[in-house]
Amino acid sequence: MRIGVDIMGGDTPPNELFSAVYDAAEAFAPSVSFVVFAQEKNIVSLETRTRANIEFVSAKEIITMEDPPLLAVRRKKESSICLGIKALKEKKIDAFVSLGNTGALIASAMMALPTLPSIERAALIATLPTAEERVSVLDVGATVGCKPHHMVQFSRLGAAYKKCIEGVELPRVGLLNIGVEQQKGTGELRDAYRQLEALTQEGHFHFVGNVESTEVFRGQVDVLVTEGFTGNVFLKTVEGVSTFIVDYLQQAIAEHLDSEEVRRALEELKTKIHYAEYPGGLLLGVDGVVVKCHGKSSPKALFNGIKGAKACVENNVVSKVSACLLHSS
Amino acid sequence: MRIGVDIMGGDTPPNELFSAVYDAAEAFAPSVSFVVFAQEKNIVSLETRTRANIEFVSAKEIITMEDPPLLAVRRKKESSICLGIKALKEKKIDAFVSLGNTGALIASAMMALPTLPSIERAALIATLPTAEERVSVLDVGATVGCKPHHMVQFSRLGAAYKKCIEGVELPRVGLLNIGVEQQKGTGELRDAYRQLEALTQEGHFHFVGNVESTEVFRGQVDVLVTEGFTGNVFLKTVEGVSTFIVDYLQQAIAEHLDSEEVRRALEELKTKIHYAEYPGGLLLGVDGVVVKCHGKSSPKALFNGIKGAKACVENNVVSKVSACLLHSS
């Protein structure tokens, strides 16, 4: 297996992020090798401290966080993002991990890779803990302002993922809204509600209706469907609040941190929720494994993103979800 | 001072919620008296266990959570919500607290009460803790799908509130978005960004730009401005995550709960974040004190809503914010 990693465009310097690739190359050798996409000047310094199962591809340009996504993808064909997606398309790599400009990564993937059966737009999927089973949330930021039928497609995608990958027989799908009543929220959500209600009768998933974000963490749904802007705010709020709370508690009960159990409970909580531990957001809906890590990712977070990408390839996530979609459409 | 309380339309039975009014009437006597809006059948049973500083107004109808807001307000003139807002308009009460249908409460208030200078739409404002000072967030659910100029008005409202009520000299205002770059998010947000940038030069507040919800809890802004749907999802996510975490920790470190300090830290955290302790959302922008409590409010949460309303009247919040807006527009 070959995993491509774009180490440009994040907040952490590429040379620091490279340590995540190095660690992964060490941990997952010999079955996994790596292709690092970086600028020539970075590659030069990295080549002195590399491993045999890592190779480099030189990118002539970088897409920055400030670049307008569509324009950047059209104009910067030699950027690390575009070269990585091209390598994925040409099957030179089996997965591509990036922490660069989200919009550009999605745009590049959508332009180059075919979408899965009955899917028009890709969604970033993130998985969060709840009081019961884990919930998969999509879209957490691929498509800002998507249409009702896209949310319906996200429901299909999320349900297929839960069914084929996590073995949930009849996934419960909920629509993120500001009230449970059918008429709540925007016109787009009401429209999506009606379409999902009709679709639930086909038996591929169980549409439970609107879900408020207060209730999500009780474990009422397996799949939480939302438009990309709202989903991204939702995910980042979860991260912000949990970091705030854990920091607050670590201060408030500092004296008790010599208690092994309290310290472990707080650490486990961080692991469960904090984004440094996420497998990264998987871009679901395109024919290829694309994992987006947070722009603020530490080397540890990038390592987890790589691990997530590896798991997706090993589990044949894309072909399983694709087969499941074919069966249900 | 006379505070009106609508005890209909929430998830908790009116007779249980009445205990919050009773406790408040006892705690705040003799300076505060109460007007309870309820259905006749509830009033009959409550009159046997009331106090001298509580009176009742009989509502012939209820607006349920399922009622479409605008239609309900037009058709159910004798509902507890409409009667309460009418009493507020006619200065028969100084504040009105409700936990019923949010949309109907806002619609009724917007139709009956004048708006403050230069304000077209009202916003629900909620205050949350951060690692530094508290942040006021608006709109958390009054106006779904509001326009850029409404968000600009919310910035003025929020800044006036922080300045006149909390004494923050030059409030830092941020726009809730999915990235800090100017071109991030929806077209409406980009438009609001441009308008706010121009406005910040007038010197009434400092526009810091886009803020991600991961960063809000670091205390980067005093006022967080957002459209009502997004703001409501944001607020409810904060509630959901914090409840989940505190519950998780209470289980995980159960053995240590005989430790007074750990127990107190968790309780304080709940008090800081959990909605049962909120003063309720104040509807800012109309000429009158309207406090919206969560539909799921317990008697304790309603009591806090009443306390919040009382503080707003005592501090002349509406006239101060109004004067501040006049001065700055």
Side-chain angles (χ1 to χ4, degrees):
Chain A
M1 182 196 313
R2 283 159 67 85
I3 299 179
V5 184
D6 166 24
I7 57 172
M8 308 306 294
D11 291 356
T12 308
N15 289 17
E16 282 180 42
L17 288 171
F18 178 73
S19 67
V21 183
Y22 188 94
D23 292 348
E26 196 166 37
F28 308 139
S31 64
V32 186
S33 61
F34 288 86
V35 182
V36 171
F37 297 84
Q39 280 195 302
E40 191 57 34
K41 61 174 184 188
N42 297 102
I43 294 175
V44 170
S45 71
L46 294 174
E47 275 175 337
T48 60
R49 52 184 182 102
T50 187
R51 285 178 49 92
N53 60 341
I54 301 177
E55 55 188 276
F56 294 92
V57 169
S58 173
K60 292 200 181 63
E61 320 169 90
I62 322 178
I63 295 180
T64 68
M65 289 297 184
E66 285 72 29
D67 277 331
L70 272 178
L71 210 63
V73 169
R74 288 207 186 101
R75 292 201 181 151
K76 298 185 171 178
K77 299 279 184 212
E78 297 293 313
S79 60
S80 51
I81 286 177
C82 292
L83 290 176
I85 291 290
K86 188 162 169 263
L88 188 65
K89 186 190 177 184
E90 294 168 353
K91 312 271 184 213
K92 289 179 182 163
I93 52 177
D94 300 294
F96 182 52
V97 182
S98 173
L99 31 72
N101 186 315
T102 309
L105 179 67
I106 310 294
S108 179
M110 288 295 295
M111 284 183 205
L113 307 171
T115 52
L116 299 188
S118 74
I119 302 300
E120 288 167 30
R121 300 291 280 266
L124 280 167
I125 184 166
T127 297
L128 291 170
T130 78
E132 307 283 332
E133 300 302 317
R134 296 187 309 161
V135 61
S136 290
V137 188
L138 74 172
D139 169 35
V140 295
T143 309
V144 168
C146 65
K147 299 276 171 279
H149 70 281
H150 294 137
M151 288 191 257
V152 173
Q153 292 172 11
F154 296 167
S155 304
R156 284 184 183 279
L157 269 176
Y161 180 84
K162 277 289 175 185
K163 199 182 250 175
C164 309
I165 310 303
E166 298 191 10
V168 179
E169 208 162 307
L170 189 67
R172 297 161 304 165
V173 174
L175 203 52
L176 182 61
N177 205 331
I178 59 173
V180 294
E181 301 80 9
Q182 184 168 357
Q183 85 283 2
K184 278 287 164 85
T186 61
E188 279 78 18
L189 282 169
R190 285 190 286 275
D191 195 354
Y193 189 108
R194 277 187 296 270
Q195 293 186 41
L196 284 168
E197 218 173 21
L199 209 59
T200 195
Q201 287 157 11
E202 292 181 14
H204 302 298
F205 57 80
H206 172 55
F207 177 56
V208 302
N210 290 327
V211 182
E212 292 181 274
S213 41
T214 28
E215 302 306 308
V216 170
F217 297 91
R218 291 185 203 272
Q220 291 188 332
V221 289
D222 302 300
V223 178
L224 183 68
V225 172
T226 174
E227 173 276 328
F229 179 86
T230 309
N232 195 270
V233 168
F234 171 82
L235 185 67
K236 285 177 177 162
T237 306
V238 172
E239 293 170 9
V241 177
S242 53
T243 302
F244 168 72
I245 290 182
V246 171
D247 289 352
Y248 172 87
L249 284 177
Q250 277 177 335
Q251 280 199 341
I253 56 179
E255 286 176 30
H256 295 266
L257 286 182
D258 55 322
S259 148
E260 189 53 40
E261 194 166 350
V262 174
R263 189 165 53 216
R264 204 168 48 230
L266 284 174
E267 284 307 319
E268 269 177 27
L269 189 68
K270 264 195 178 165
T271 313
K272 272 189 135 175
I273 302 186
H274 199 268
Y275 68 79
E277 305 287 341
Y278 280 2
L282 173 67
L283 186 67
L284 210 58
V286 289
D287 189 9
V289 174
V290 178
V291 170
K292 169 69 179 76
C293 290
H294 204 294
K296 291 191 176 63
S297 289
S298 61
K300 190 177 168 196
L302 179 59
F303 182 88
N304 282 311
I306 293 169
K307 219 166 86 176
K310 175 175 166 276
C312 287
V313 177
E314 280 168 352
N315 292 324
N316 297 310
V317 166
V318 173
S319 60
K320 277 184 192 162
V321 168
S322 183
C324 192
L325 283 170
L326 259 184
H327 173 73
S328 70
S329 60
Chain B
M1 184 196 308
R2 283 159 67 85
I3 298 178
V5 185
D6 165 23
I7 57 172
M8 308 306 295
D11 289 357
T12 309
N15 289 17
E16 282 181 43
L17 289 171
F18 178 73
S19 67
V21 183
Y22 188 94
D23 292 348
E26 197 166 34
F28 308 139
S31 64
V32 186
S33 61
F34 288 86
V35 181
V36 171
F37 296 84
Q39 280 195 300
E40 191 57 35
K41 61 175 184 188
N42 296 100
I43 295 176
V44 169
S45 71
L46 294 175
E47 274 176 335
T48 60
R49 52 183 183 105
T50 186
R51 286 178 49 91
N53 60 342
I54 301 176
E55 56 187 275
F56 294 93
V57 168
S58 172
K60 292 201 179 63
E61 319 169 269
I62 323 179
I63 295 179
T64 67
M65 290 294 183
E66 286 72 29
D67 278 330
L70 272 178
L71 209 65
V73 169
R74 288 207 187 101
R75 290 199 182 153
K76 296 183 171 178
K77 300 278 185 212
E78 297 293 311
S79 61
S80 52
I81 285 178
C82 291
L83 290 177
I85 292 291
K86 188 162 170 263
L88 188 65
K89 185 189 176 187
E90 295 169 351
K91 313 272 185 209
K92 289 177 182 163
I93 52 177
D94 301 293
F96 181 52
V97 182
S98 174
L99 32 71
N101 186 313
T102 308
L105 179 67
I106 311 295
S108 179
M110 288 295 295
M111 284 183 204
L113 306 172
T115 52
L116 298 189
S118 75
I119 302 300
E120 288 168 29
R121 301 290 283 264
L124 281 167
I125 184 167
T127 297
L128 291 171
T130 79
E132 307 283 334
E133 301 301 317
R134 297 186 307 162
V135 60
S136 290
V137 188
L138 74 174
D139 168 35
V140 295
T143 308
V144 169
C146 64
K147 298 278 171 278
H149 70 281
H150 294 137
M151 286 190 259
V152 174
Q153 293 172 10
F154 296 166
S155 304
R156 285 184 182 279
L157 269 176
Y161 181 85
K162 276 288 176 186
K163 200 181 248 176
C164 309
I165 310 304
E166 298 191 10
V168 179
E169 210 163 304
L170 189 67
R172 297 162 303 165
V173 174
L175 203 52
L176 182 62
N177 205 332
I178 57 175
V180 295
E181 300 81 9
Q182 185 168 356
Q183 84 284 1
K184 279 287 164 84
T186 60
E188 279 78 19
L189 282 169
R190 284 191 286 275
D191 196 353
Y193 190 108
R194 278 188 294 270
Q195 293 186 41
L196 284 169
E197 220 174 17
L199 209 58
T200 194
Q201 288 158 10
E202 293 181 13
H204 302 299
F205 57 81
H206 173 56
F207 177 55
V208 302
N210 290 326
V211 183
E212 292 182 274
S213 41
T214 26
E215 302 306 308
V216 170
F217 296 92
R218 292 186 203 269
Q220 293 188 332
V221 288
D222 303 300
V223 178
L224 183 70
V225 172
T226 174
E227 173 277 324
F229 180 85
T230 309
N232 195 269
V233 168
F234 171 81
L235 185 68
K236 284 177 177 161
T237 306
V238 173
E239 294 171 7
V241 177
S242 54
T243 303
F244 167 71
I245 291 181
V246 171
D247 288 353
Y248 172 86
L249 283 176
Q250 278 178 335
Q251 279 198 342
I253 56 178
E255 283 175 30
H256 294 265
L257 285 181
D258 54 325
S259 148
E260 188 55 38
E261 195 168 347
V262 175
R263 188 166 52 215
R264 203 167 50 227
L266 284 173
E267 284 306 318
E268 269 178 27
L269 189 71
K270 264 194 178 166
T271 312
K272 271 189 134 176
I273 302 185
H274 200 266
Y275 68 77
E277 306 287 339
Y278 280 0
L282 174 66
L283 185 67
L284 211 56
V286 291
D287 188 9
V289 174
V290 178
V291 170
K292 170 68 178 77
C293 292
H294 204 295
K296 292 190 174 64
S297 289
S298 61
K300 189 178 167 196
L302 179 58
F303 182 89
N304 283 311
I306 293 170
K307 219 165 84 176
K310 175 174 166 278
C312 287
V313 176
E314 281 168 351
N315 293 324
N316 297 310
V317 166
V318 173
S319 58
K320 278 184 192 162
V321 168
S322 183
C324 192
L325 284 170
L326 258 185
H327 173 72
S328 71
S329 61

